[in-house]
Amino acid sequence: MLESLPDRPLTDEEAEHLKQQDARIVPLSVLKGKDEDPFVIYTMAFYGSESQQVHLLGYSDTEGGWIQFESFPEEEWTVDRQEERVSQWVEEQYGDKFEQGVLSEDSGTVDIR
C-alpha cells in the first residue's frame, strides 16, 4: 500500500479516487492548501487488511514520505482510539498547521470549517 502512494501528500481528488478503488481506505486529516487545491490529505486509515488490522498512515515531512504510524487489531478499533492517535501524530508532525477532519459525507468524513 505505502509503495503505491506518491512522495507527497494527496490531493482531495486523489484520495477520493483511492477510496473509490478500495472502500477500505478512508482519508482522515487535511490541511487547507492553495486555492487551486484547497485540501491536501495527510492521514488515512486502511481497514480490513488480510491481517485483520487497522493501519493508520500519514505523510511525514521528516521521514520524506508516507509511513504507517499505528496499527492495531480490528476488534480493538474505536472511533475515539483512532481520533486520539491521529490527533497525537498530527500534532507531533505538524503542530498547529492542521485543521483536522475529513472532507465530505460521501468519503465518510465531515466538512472542515
Side-chain angles (χ1 to χ4, degrees):
M1 169 75 189
L2 290 174
E3 304 82 36
S4 65
L5 296 172
D7 290 335
R8 59 173 170 68
L10 299 176
T11 65
D12 179 35
E13 185 176 296
E14 290 169 330
E16 189 57 37
H17 180 73
L18 266 180
K19 179 156 177 58
Q20 288 175 6
Q21 287 182 324
D22 190 336
R24 298 175 300 169
I25 300 170
V26 178
L28 295 174
S29 295
V30 302
L31 177 68
K32 287 191 175 184
K34 300 175 184 168
D35 290 340
E36 65 272 8
D37 189 13
F39 300 105
V40 181
I41 309 300
Y42 274 78
T43 66
M44 297 184 291
F46 181 64
Y47 301 99
S49 64
E50 291 177 9
S51 62
Q52 300 198 346
Q53 297 276 310
V54 174
H55 304 285
L56 301 179
L57 312 175
Y59 182 82
S60 171
D61 286 336
T62 57
E63 300 278 336
W66 289 89
I67 62 166
Q68 177 180 297
F69 62 87
E70 183 71 83
S71 183
F72 44 86
E74 286 182 347
E75 65 268 8
E76 295 178 14
W77 177 89
T78 65
V79 171
D80 289 342
R81 181 177 183 179
Q82 176 175 294
E83 287 179 353
E84 181 178 320
R85 186 59 185 107
V86 168
S87 294
Q88 178 186 38
W89 186 83
V90 166
E91 181 67 30
E92 291 167 3
Q93 292 290 313
Y94 296 101
D96 61 358
K97 294 187 218 174
F98 255 110
E99 289 192 49
Q100 287 203 50
V102 287
L103 298 173
S104 69
E105 290 184 21
D106 293 341
S107 63
T109 61
V110 294
D111 217 359
I112 293 177
R113 304 256 182 239

